[in-house]
Amino acid sequence: MTAAHPVRRRFLRNCGTLVVMALAPLRALAAQWNKAAFDARAIDESLKQIGATSLAESDQILLKAPEIAENGAIVPLEITSRIPDTRTVYILVEKNPQPLAASFDFADGIEPFIATRIKMNESSKLRIVVKAGEKFYGVVREVKVTIGGCGA
C-alpha cells in the first residue's frame, strides 16, 4: 500500500499543474478589461477612456429598451449592431455613479447581438456605443425609471 501513495501524490500534483495551466489564459484575458473606463465618474471621461472621442450617430444600431422602466434594478435591453466589422459594444448610463455599465467584445463572424439587464440609478439617457474597425458609432435613448436601482 505504501507504493500507491507516491503514485497518487504524483497524479494529484500533475492534475493540479494541468488546472493551473488551463486557467492561466483566462487570467490573461481578465486582465485586459478597461478599469479606467469602468471607474470613470462622468460619461465624457468614460467615452474618453474607451477611445470614443468622436462619435457618429447611426441608425444601424438597433436598441430595444423600455420607455419607462418600472424597476431601475432590472432594465431589460436588446442591442443589435448592423454595422460591418463590429468589434465592441458599450452600454453607458449618463446618470449612474459610474456611467459605463457594460462592454461586450465580438470575434469575427459573430453576430453582434446582446440581450441583458442593467441597473439605472434614475431616469437618464442610455447611450450605446459601437466600435467597428477604428470608428465609433452611437445611439441615445431616454429611459424613465420609476423605482431606483443603483443604491436608491
Side-chain angles (χ1 to χ4, degrees):
M1 283 197 83
T2 57
H5 291 294
V7 172
R8 185 180 321 147
R9 286 184 186 139
R10 188 173 32 238
F11 174 76
L12 291 173
R13 184 177 57 238
N14 290 341
C15 286
T17 301
L18 288 174
V19 168
V20 169
M21 288 173 52
L23 293 178
L26 295 177
R27 221 176 303 139
L29 287 174
Q32 294 177 6
W33 77 294
N34 191 339
K35 183 175 179 3
F38 280 97
D39 286 345
R41 299 290 183 183
I43 197 158
D44 291 338
E45 182 63 22
S46 289
L47 289 169
K48 179 182 168 190
Q49 291 297 328
I50 64 174
T53 52
S54 65
L55 203 60
E57 293 296 318
S58 176
D59 61 355
Q60 297 298 303
I61 302 169
L62 308 177
L63 170 60
K64 184 177 174 185
E67 287 183 30
I68 299 174
E70 293 180 14
N71 184 349
I74 50 168
V75 180
L77 302 177
E78 285 187 14
I79 304 160
T80 303
S81 174
R82 293 189 177 152
I83 301 171
D85 197 30
T86 294
R87 292 289 173 204
T88 308
V89 175
Y90 301 95
I91 302 173
L92 296 104
V93 182
E94 190 173 275
K95 293 185 181 177
N96 273 6
Q98 293 170 303
L100 184 55
S103 170
F104 299 89
D105 294 321
F106 297 92
D108 284 335
I110 302 296
E111 179 185 358
F113 170 78
I114 300 159
T116 190
R117 294 180 179 176
I118 63 168
K119 287 186 177 186
M120 293 182 67
N121 194 37
E122 59 185 282
S123 298
S124 178
K125 287 182 182 175
L126 175 66
R127 182 180 303 268
I128 307 303
V129 175
V130 171
K131 181 179 181 184
E134 295 303 314
K135 295 183 181 179
F136 289 88
Y137 304 88
V139 66
V140 178
R141 170 108 20 99
E142 181 79 26
V143 177
K144 293 180 179 20
V145 175
T146 57
I147 301 173
C150 291

